[in-house]
Amino acid sequence: MSRLSLQVLASATGNVLTERDRRAAVVPALLCGVIFLAGLAPSFVIALLAG
């Protein structure tokens, strides 16, 4: 393999790993947001029913 081919391969591999890391970081954040909203929802439902 030429040096240029190795550089392109290394660059592409690095980008794939970075995209996977980004996706892996987003999922727990979304999950925390959903859990937080699910915790707030009952109080809003009670307020709507009481009002």
Side-chain angles (χ1 to χ4, degrees), residues 2-50:
S2 69
R3 191 184 316 172
L4 180 60
S5 297
L6 291 174
Q7 287 176 344
V8 169
L9 181 61
S11 175
T13 305
N15 288 340
V16 169
L17 292 176
T18 303
E19 287 297 320
R20 286 181 187 163
D21 290 342
R22 284 183 193 156
R23 278 187 241 143
V26 168
V27 171
L30 287 175
L31 187 60
C32 287
V34 168
I35 291 171
F36 177 74
L37 290 175
L40 291 179
S43 53
F44 283 109
V45 171
I46 291 171
L48 287 173
L49 292 176

